[in-house]
Amino acid sequence: AAVAHGAEYVLDVCCDYVRPHFEVAQRRGVLRPDIDVEGTVEFLFRMITSLIVMDRDRDAAELRRFLRTYVVPVIAAP
C-alpha cells in the first residue's frame, strides 16, 4: 500500500510539472489532441518502469529506435 501511495504521489507531481508543456505541445499539434496529461504520464511512467525492470541490454541507439517505433506513435500527433 505504501508503494502504491508513493507511486500515486509521483504521478501527481509529474502531471503537475508536465501539464503546461503538454498543453503547449497539444496546441502546436505535436501531441495527439485526444489524450490527457494524466493518462499519458501514467503510460510513460509504466513504460519507463518496464524498461528499467526488464533491461534488454540495448545500447542508446537501439533504445531510441525502440522508443521512436513503439512509444512515440502512441502520443505523437499524426
Side-chain angles (χ1 to χ4, degrees), residues 54-74:
M54 254 183 74
D55 182 19
R56 304 268 324 253
D57 292 326
R58 292 182 177 103
D59 64 23
E62 292 170 325
L63 182 57
R64 277 192 299 278
R65 195 168 28 260
F66 176 83
L67 295 172
R68 285 187 182 125
T69 301
Y70 299 104
V71 176
V72 171
V74 173

Side-chain angles (χ1 to χ4, degrees), residues 5-77:
H5 179 68
E8 283 294 321
Y9 175 76
V10 169
L11 285 174
D12 289 343
V13 169
C14 289
C15 286
D16 290 344
Y17 178 77
V18 169
R19 186 170 282 103
H21 306 288
F22 189 94
E23 290 169 353
V24 168
Q26 279 185 316
R27 281 195 302 275
R28 290 184 178 166
V30 176
L31 294 179
R32 288 177 28 204
D34 61 324
I35 56 176
D36 62 42
V37 69
E38 288 79 7
T40 305
V41 168
E42 179 182 351
F43 169 73
L44 293 173
F45 185 81
R46 290 176 184 275
M47 285 300 304
I48 292 165
T49 303
S50 174
L51 289 168
I52 291 168
V53 171
M54 254 183 74
D55 182 19
R56 304 268 324 253
D57 292 326
R58 292 182 177 103
D59 64 23
E62 292 170 325
L63 182 57
R64 277 192 299 278
R65 195 168 28 260
F66 176 83
L67 295 172
R68 285 187 182 125
T69 301
Y70 299 104
V71 176
V72 171
V74 173
I75 63 172

